[in-house]
Amino acid sequence: MSAVGINVIHGAVFETDASPVAVDTEFEGFAKVYRRMLDSGVPAYQKLFVTIANAEEDDGHLLFHCAAGKDRTGIAAAFLLEL
């Protein structure tokens, strides 16, 4: 989808809304949430890295983010830094 010359690419890490806090259970920390991101998010992260690799073919500019910019984005940034 393009808007004002911006190419928007969606890459959902979760198939459905996966809030880390379940209503009927005690929150056990983000380790389980991050594990789910890594288990279910492979296609989304792959899509992100292919997009990054091809960004120079466009204009070389790229922004990636999620709703808060700390969890899904943080994992993606960690992968990029590790590369």
Side-chain angles (χ1 to χ4, degrees):
M1 175 167 111
S2 289
V4 192
I6 298 171
N7 189 20
V8 178
I9 300 168
H10 296 278
V13 172
F14 299 114
E15 288 184 25
T16 59
D17 183 20
S19 174
V21 182
V23 174
D24 58 348
T25 62
E26 185 176 328
F27 179 58
E28 298 179 17
F30 281 98
K32 285 188 176 187
V33 177
Y34 291 161
R35 170 64 86 177
R36 274 199 341 256
M37 285 182 204
L38 295 173
D39 289 342
S40 67
V42 171
Y45 289 117
Q46 182 179 21
K47 186 178 192 179
L48 171 64
F49 298 135
V50 168
T51 301
I52 290 170
N54 295 326
E56 191 173 331
E57 294 175 10
D58 294 325
D59 66 0
H61 296 93
L62 181 120
L63 167 71
F64 66 95
H65 66 89
C66 63
K70 66 178 190 66
D71 299 312
R72 291 165 288 191
T73 302
I75 288 174
F79 285 151
L80 290 170
L81 289 170
E82 184 63 24
L83 290 173

